[in-house]
Amino acid sequence: MSRFAGNVQDKAQEVAKEDYEKAKALLSDAARSGAYLYPFKGIVYFMTHRSLWKPFYSRILPTLGLTAGVLGSMFFLTYLPQLAILVFVNGPLAVFTTVLLILNESSTIANLISRNFLLQDALLDTFDGTLVARNATDIVSEGRQLKSGSDPIARLGKILKNPFSKFTPKALVRYVMYLPLNFIPVVGTIVFILLQGRTRGGSVHGRYFQLKGWSSSQQKDWLQRHTGPYATFGTIATLLEMIPVVSMFFAFTNTVGAALWAADIEQKNSQMTQGTAPNLRESAKKAD
């Protein structure tokens, strides 16, 4: 019996060591890529480039109204019921973890509605406009017509390739499936946000992959090679968009940050392009 227990303990230590090494490698990859900086670069770039504000202004009132309505309704209808459940597992901390949970739920609902019905075209223009502003016109021209001029948004013409993919039932199912993690004190909420960030990170370059003409297998290969950077970007973007009232603002700045990141990858100004992007680019050409 003691021998069996010893074998189990050794196996557990081995698995823990493997998981630690994988996590260490992911964090190292994320740090080298600088992906964690792009949400903040997006804020600065958006604030200092007024030419990118037009899509934001065109959607600000309806989206703010939607966000306020969802947030108010969620706190009014679900705060006390969820607090009553979380207090049994989180104790006094339930007051705060319930707020975090409702913020995340409200953000998901508002994003589901706004991205599908209010913001899709505006975010698409913001992403493409940022690429144009960064002189990545060659790749943008693969997905839409471009006009002459100096204003990056005004230069955007007819869309030739389908825009961002919409919120999928699979993403909603995954969100609901991970929701019970919030019943685990503190750690569960953190893990939940990290999982949401990883899911979000996998979609931030959907438009870039469209413009590149990459197949689903090429996209999957690229994302698997760079899990750490995309999970880091997605986690920070998720946290920013959980902030009430200004979540819409951060949706646009995160889009700008993703476009800046794509421009750096395209122009080989990113650590991620060393040895990987050229191979994928060649594969994409062969696929065509």
Side-chain angles (χ1 to χ4, degrees), residues 17 31 57 69 73 88 91 110 130 143 177 179 186 215 224 230 237 253 279 282-283 285-286:
K17 184 178 180 180
Y57 280 145
S73 298
F88 287 105
T130 303
M177 186 174 65
L179 201 58
V186 184
S215 65
Q224 286 180 340
Y230 280 98
T253 61
N279 294 336
E282 186 63 29
S283 298
K285 289 180 179 178
K286 290 179 179 179

Side-chain angles (χ1 to χ4, degrees), residues 37-53 126-136 152 249 252-261 263-264 267:
L37 294 174
Y38 282 99
F40 305 108
K41 288 182 179 181
I43 295 172
V44 175
Y45 197 87
F46 185 74
M47 292 293 292
T48 55
H49 289 73
R50 295 177 63 90
S51 58
L52 297 176
W53 294 3
T126 301
F127 189 91
D128 289 354
T130 303
L131 288 176
V132 172
R134 283 291 306 273
N135 297 317
F249 170 78
F252 278 86
T253 61
N254 287 332
T255 299
V256 172
L260 293 175
W261 189 11
D264 284 342
Q267 296 165 4

Side-chain angles (χ1 to χ4, degrees), residues 19 84 100 103 278:
D19 289 345
L100 284 176
L103 287 176

